Amino acid sequence: MTARHHHAWLHVALLALAAGLASGSAQALTIENLKGQGLEDIYGTYAPRGDCTREPRISMDDSGFTFRVAGRDVHSGNIEFAVSYGGPDYQGISRWFFPFPVSDDDFGRVLMTVNPDEKRGTLAFESNLGPGQSMSPLQAALVRGSPYAKCGGGATATAGTTALHANAASPAGPRRIYFDKDAVKPTPAQTNAIRRATANDLKGPVHPDQPLYSGY
């Protein structure tokens, strides 16, 4: 693959991935609790700096998630477990959830990441807002209190693999994809997922003077 073709392929791949995420087509599993999902290693209670005298607190067990904010406990109902959020070849320990889904086509206003950046025993919330959307007071409090650590245990970093491999034939030439001006654009959370999925390509661009990625 020539340098020019590599640049064109990556540009198309990023835009295609962004379009898929923005339309809610990222593979997700709708679950009512965590039992039988092989997630026992993330169970426990998380709080700011791992201090469980503080709030917000997030508890995880077979029954799902319990959020304690302002002295009130709220238990999760349906959960979207974003099993493919890290990319098709992801081998790390991070796990992504949308704990407040609205519908099959709307994963909700908040993305919850367990073990973000491969740091075991940590948890982070970030907004997943689209145009004209807003968070509930509970959701806003969880985002404001982020990041969190598991109570009684230190966070550790684990080497993970995040890669997007190109196995397709080289394209005939540069291609451009244009989104309609009113189309849904990726949220900050989805943009971060794109960066994770293409980490290896973004580390070593063929032409350092030509940017391979730009935010939307």
Side-chain angles (χ1 to χ4, degrees), residues 2-214:
T2 67
R4 184 184 182 190
H5 288 165
H6 178 87
H7 182 278
W9 173 86
L10 184 57
H11 180 69
V12 171
L14 286 170
L15 289 174
L17 181 57
L21 289 171
S23 64
S25 62
Q27 184 180 356
L29 176 67
T30 302
I31 54 179
E32 294 182 354
N33 54 60
L34 304 182
K35 188 175 182 178
Q37 300 300 325
L39 298 170
E40 289 81 4
D41 60 317
I42 70 173
Y43 287 5
T45 301
Y46 299 73
R49 297 183 180 274
D51 179 0
C52 264
T53 65
R54 300 175 60 187
E55 296 181 3
R57 290 199 298 271
I58 302 93
S59 298
M60 304 181 195
D61 54 29
D62 277 353
S63 69
F65 305 138
T66 300
F67 308 101
R68 185 169 183 80
V69 176
R72 178 170 173 259
D73 289 334
V74 176
H75 192 267
S76 60
N78 287 341
I79 302 165
E80 291 291 341
F81 179 16
V83 293
S84 66
Y85 208 74
D89 300 309
Y90 180 70
Q91 300 291 323
I93 61 170
S94 295
R95 299 291 180 263
W96 294 273
F97 301 89
F98 293 91
F100 308 107
V102 177
S103 67
D104 290 343
D105 298 320
D106 185 345
F107 290 170
R109 312 296 173 253
V110 175
L111 169 67
M112 184 178 80
T113 306
V114 183
N115 302 330
D117 301 321
E118 309 306 313
K119 293 182 180 179
R120 192 179 298 279
T122 62
L123 185 154
F125 285 87
E126 55 188 305
S127 66
N128 187 48
L129 293 174
Q133 296 177 343
S134 61
M135 291 182 285
S136 70
L138 168 65
Q139 296 166 0
L142 292 170
V143 172
R144 283 196 307 269
S146 188
Y148 303 86
K150 187 178 290 189
C151 298
T156 58
T158 302
T161 303
T162 307
L164 182 65
H165 296 292
N167 295 318
S170 301
R175 296 174 56 197
R176 294 182 181 273
I177 296 178
Y178 296 95
F179 292 104
D180 184 86
K181 67 180 180 65
D182 296 321
V184 176
K185 302 301 190 298
T187 66
Q190 293 163 344
T191 298
N192 288 338
I194 295 170
R195 289 183 181 278
R196 284 190 291 267
T198 58
N200 283 358
D201 287 297
L202 296 176
K203 282 179 181 177
V206 177
H207 291 297
D209 59 322
Q210 298 181 12
L212 298 185
Y213 176 87
S214 61

